Amino acid sequence: MQPASLKTKVQRILLKGNFKKSESSKSRVKGLSNITAGFKFDKMWDDYYLFYTSGNMINRGMSSEEKDEKTIEIFNYLSEQGLGEYIEMTTLRNQKAILLIVK
């Protein structure tokens, strides 16, 4: 499975499971964007990482522990959906993240 197709499959499963994707919208202030809380993908080298972000709006005061708990909740949900062999819990920028493993 290609990395992009695995990312798409994971995203589709999460959206069906009532998890929200972090979205960005333009702000009135030039150069800034409003980012909502939700799951987010980050690509480093050839790997995709999935984690929960608090965004910069309502949930911006969310602690690291709360974000890590949400990421673990996402990890457990994906494992229940049969993707256990394609995901691995790791750390990215001092935050828990899910590494998507391409086989």
Side-chain angles (χ1 to χ4, degrees), residues 76-87:
N76 291 335
Y77 180 76
L78 291 173
S79 294
E80 290 170 6
Q81 300 301 314
L83 292 176
E85 64 184 275
Y86 296 107
I87 57 176

Side-chain angles (χ1 to χ4, degrees), residues 55-68:
N56 64 0
M57 294 170 53
I58 297 171
N59 297 316
R60 70 176 168 256
M62 184 181 270
S63 69
S64 297
E65 291 81 19
E66 288 176 299
K67 290 187 270 187
D68 288 347

Side-chain angles (χ1 to χ4, degrees), residues 25-65:
S25 63
K26 296 238 178 193
S27 173
R28 291 185 202 174
V29 179
K30 186 176 182 178
L32 293 179
S33 296
N34 292 322
I35 302 168
T36 61
F39 69 88
K40 182 177 179 181
F41 290 95
D42 197 1
K43 186 175 182 181
M44 294 192 104
W45 301 285
D46 290 336
D47 298 325
Y48 281 102
Y49 290 88
L50 169 67
F51 59 95
Y52 189 86
T53 181
S54 62
N56 64 0
M57 294 170 53
I58 297 171
N59 297 316
R60 70 176 168 256
M62 184 181 270
S63 69
S64 297
E65 291 81 19

